[in-house]
Amino acid sequence: MPLTRKPRIAIMGEFSSGKSTLCNVLMGAKPLLEKVTATQLPPVWLSYGPDDAYTMGLDGHAYDLDLSELEQVSLETTEHIRIFMKSDILRYCDLVDMPGISDPSMSSEVWERMAYLADAVLWCTHATQAWRQSESGVWSTFPQEMRQNSLLLVTRFDKIVGDSDKSKVLKRVKQETDGLFAEVYPVSLLQAMRAGDDEAKWLDSGVDAFSKALFDIIHRIIDEGHPEKGDEGKPMIRPDPADETEVGQSLIAQTFERLMAVRNTPVVKVLPRRVASGERLLRTERPTDESGPTMVSFSDQIMGATEAPALGRLKGL
């Protein structure tokens, strides 16, 4: 049965691998997010809705959170932080921004206890030291069925100088991760953030290609997913309506909207029209749904040439 809640996409990788920058790119670089991701925090679960936030304690209780007091959130007593805001990407899925897997300042339990929530993972690996053994070791602990819905992003790809070196790095990473991810994408996230409305820079950053793959994964998870206990019979999840005053302005939003329009356009099979022997189709004007193409017979041309000069001119064809 189709999924009855939004897919949850976890953003993971080693410490300082570009996870926070990716989150800002996906979210449209909201000032609030820049503050959130710049702080040592437990996992941050981001959802669409009016601005609100709370912490979920390890005791199973939720506690209201003033975002100006983020620095006071305790890693020892908090499972995750839940933040609601209106951002383009959150209309389609929830994001879970995880701490770095190799962050020396916190235990791996901080992110491990939230990993079960994820339907898919966007894994960031730094281009200059891409796909280290420590990353491979952690990823090997995740369920195999998650691999087809997860993407590996080779971040800071612009730091590698020369097309030859870029090709070598990408070839090696793809070989070492063959079968572990749905696809590997080289990206320059800072370039994407600075692109603004410049579509050429956005395309050159590699984020456009990656975002199209993410769109496909989100909808594959929805189509193939199974409702959680108690959700049986509920309708398939749909994107939240866009609030034009707050969302719909980013390039990733425009990409998703175009893809959604294509996805929702029904495929109409058009059967070819049979043409009788001795006849041909002549487009004297652009056909409409009502008129269709004009049918002209060669015999009609010859017999009625004097009465129909326009058709008579076809005699020399």
Side-chain angles (χ1 to χ4, degrees):
M1 292 180 62
L3 204 65
T4 54
R5 58 162 175 79
K6 288 182 186 176
R8 299 165 185 154
I9 313 296
I11 299 176
M12 299 192 66
E14 293 203 313
F15 182 70
S16 193
S17 61
K19 297 183 290 78
S20 295
T21 308
L22 172 62
C23 194
N24 285 334
V25 168
L26 293 173
M27 294 285 293
K30 295 267 186 179
L32 174 62
L33 226 348
E34 292 175 1
K35 181 176 181 180
V36 169
T37 55
T39 310
Q40 286 288 336
L41 293 172
V44 178
W45 183 351
L46 299 157
S47 300
Y48 187 86
D51 291 355
D52 190 19
Y54 65 83
T55 61
M56 179 58 70
L58 293 177
D59 59 4
H61 291 90
Y63 300 90
D64 290 338
L65 174 65
D66 184 337
L67 290 176
S68 65
E69 301 176 352
L70 276 172
E71 294 82 358
Q72 300 177 24
V73 174
S74 170
L75 290 172
E76 288 72 28
T77 61
T78 304
E79 181 188 64
H80 67 268
I81 297 170
R82 188 80 181 271
I83 298 178
F84 295 85
M85 56 172 44
K86 291 186 177 179
S87 177
D88 295 313
I89 188 67
L90 298 181
R91 293 176 52 221
Y92 297 86
C93 66
D94 285 4
L95 296 176
V96 184
D97 186 17
M98 297 284 202
I101 63 168
S102 59
D103 191 336
S105 65
M106 65 177 67
S107 167
S108 61
E109 292 182 1
V110 173
W111 60 263
E112 286 174 348
R113 56 192 175 219
M114 284 290 288
Y116 75 94
L117 279 175
D119 298 303
V121 171
L122 303 178
W123 192 286
C124 297
T125 186
H126 198 304
T128 59
Q129 49 186 5
W131 201 241
R132 304 201 305 175
Q133 287 187 350
S134 54
E135 297 177 86
S136 177
V138 170
W139 185 238
S140 67
T141 65
F142 279 69
Q144 289 196 5
E145 56 267 24
M146 190 178 287
R147 296 177 180 179
Q148 66 172 344
N149 292 329
S150 298
L151 301 173
L152 178 62
L153 305 185
V154 184
T155 60
R156 303 182 188 177
F157 205 63
D158 53 318
K159 297 297 182 182
I160 301 178
V161 180
D163 292 339
S164 176
D165 288 341
K166 289 182 178 180
S167 297
K168 289 179 181 177
V169 169
L170 199 55
K171 181 179 180 181
R172 176 184 64 79
V173 172
K174 286 187 174 182
Q175 288 177 340
E176 294 180 0
T177 61
D178 184 36
L180 300 181
F181 294 91
E183 190 53 81
V184 178
Y185 288 95
V187 293
S188 301
L189 298 172
L190 287 178
Q191 180 178 334
M193 286 188 67
R194 296 165 182 161
D197 295 329
D198 191 327
E199 190 170 0
K201 290 183 179 178
W202 173 260
L203 293 171
D204 189 55
S205 72
V207 174
D208 185 69
F210 144 68
S211 62
K212 290 175 181 176
L214 176 59
F215 178 90
D216 289 339
I217 283 175
I218 287 172
H219 286 87
R220 182 164 67 241
I221 292 172
I222 293 173
D223 293 341
E224 299 177 357
H226 299 278
E228 296 183 343
K229 186 176 181 180
D231 285 350
E232 295 83 355
K234 289 185 179 180
M236 182 192 307
I237 190 69
R238 301 289 182 186
D240 286 300
D243 184 336
E244 295 181 359
T245 63
E246 301 185 47
V247 297
Q249 305 301 317
S250 67
L251 288 174
I252 195 168
Q254 295 171 26
T255 298
F256 271 41
E257 288 300 323
R258 287 195 298 267
L259 294 172
M260 182 60 75
V262 172
R263 178 181 172 84
N264 290 339
T265 300
V267 177
V268 179
K269 292 184 178 180
V270 180
L271 297 176
R273 183 175 179 180
R274 291 186 177 275
V275 180
S277 177
E279 293 181 329
R280 64 177 289 186
L281 291 177
L282 174 67
R283 293 188 181 277
T284 56
E285 61 181 10
R286 184 179 295 277
T288 65
D289 292 337
E290 292 76 23
S291 66
T294 303
M295 187 76 73
V296 178
S297 165
F298 279 115
S299 58
D300 290 342
Q301 292 180 38
I302 297 172
M303 296 298 294
T306 57
E307 299 176 4
L311 294 179
R313 287 197 294 271
L314 296 172
K315 196 171 182 178
L317 293 179

